[in-house]
Amino acid sequence: MAFGIGVNSQSTNEGPIRGTQREIACECWFTSNGRITPLMIKLQDEEGEIQTVRPIYVHSQTRKNYAGTPSIEFDCTIEIRERSYRVWLIYFQSENRWVLNFR
């Protein structure tokens, strides 16, 4: 009997998402090989108004599983009201849903 180290490591569970999440709408581009590029997001601010945020500077993207749900996490920088924020955009593939995560 043999045991492999790192076997099936691509589907490991990251556990619950840490930080503050906000539901968003995201406009994105899908390349011919399936890579996703977020272009613009819309989110509701504290006054209830819809804010459009662009451009989005993507530093990296990683495939993850949060509580067993396959997702793609984008490490990004966005600007809201002339301030830069480091955020994570998370796309839940099975739900076709986007969230903005502040850590």
Side-chain angles (χ1 to χ4, degrees):
M1 183 181 294
F3 296 96
I5 296 175
V7 175
N8 295 328
S9 62
Q10 70 275 11
S11 63
T12 59
N13 194 349
E14 298 292 327
I17 298 174
R18 295 171 193 86
T20 304
Q21 295 179 49
R22 296 185 62 182
E23 297 286 329
I24 60 167
C26 182
E27 176 185 33
C28 57
W29 176 263
F30 287 84
T31 65
S32 61
N33 62 3
R35 189 167 173 87
I36 302 171
T37 303
L39 302 174
M40 180 259 310
I41 63 172
K42 289 192 176 193
L43 64 135
Q44 193 170 18
D45 65 13
E46 295 78 26
E47 291 84 36
E49 293 186 34
I50 303 295
Q51 297 290 323
T52 301
V53 178
R54 72 164 60 106
I56 299 170
Y57 303 101
V58 178
H59 306 295
S60 66
Q61 85 180 47
T62 309
R63 291 188 178 275
K64 294 191 175 186
N65 281 321
Y66 287 109
T69 304
S71 62
I72 303 174
E73 182 179 270
F74 298 86
D75 178 5
C76 306
T77 299
I78 61 172
E79 292 182 14
I80 300 175
R81 297 186 181 131
E82 300 178 10
R83 289 193 63 196
S84 293
Y85 296 94
R86 185 77 175 262
V87 299
W88 286 262
L89 298 177
I90 303 171
Y91 174 59
F92 295 101
Q93 296 168 290
S94 60
E95 302 169 12
N96 287 323
R97 182 174 65 96
W98 287 86
V99 296
L100 176 69
N101 189 27
F102 294 94
R103 292 185 186 160

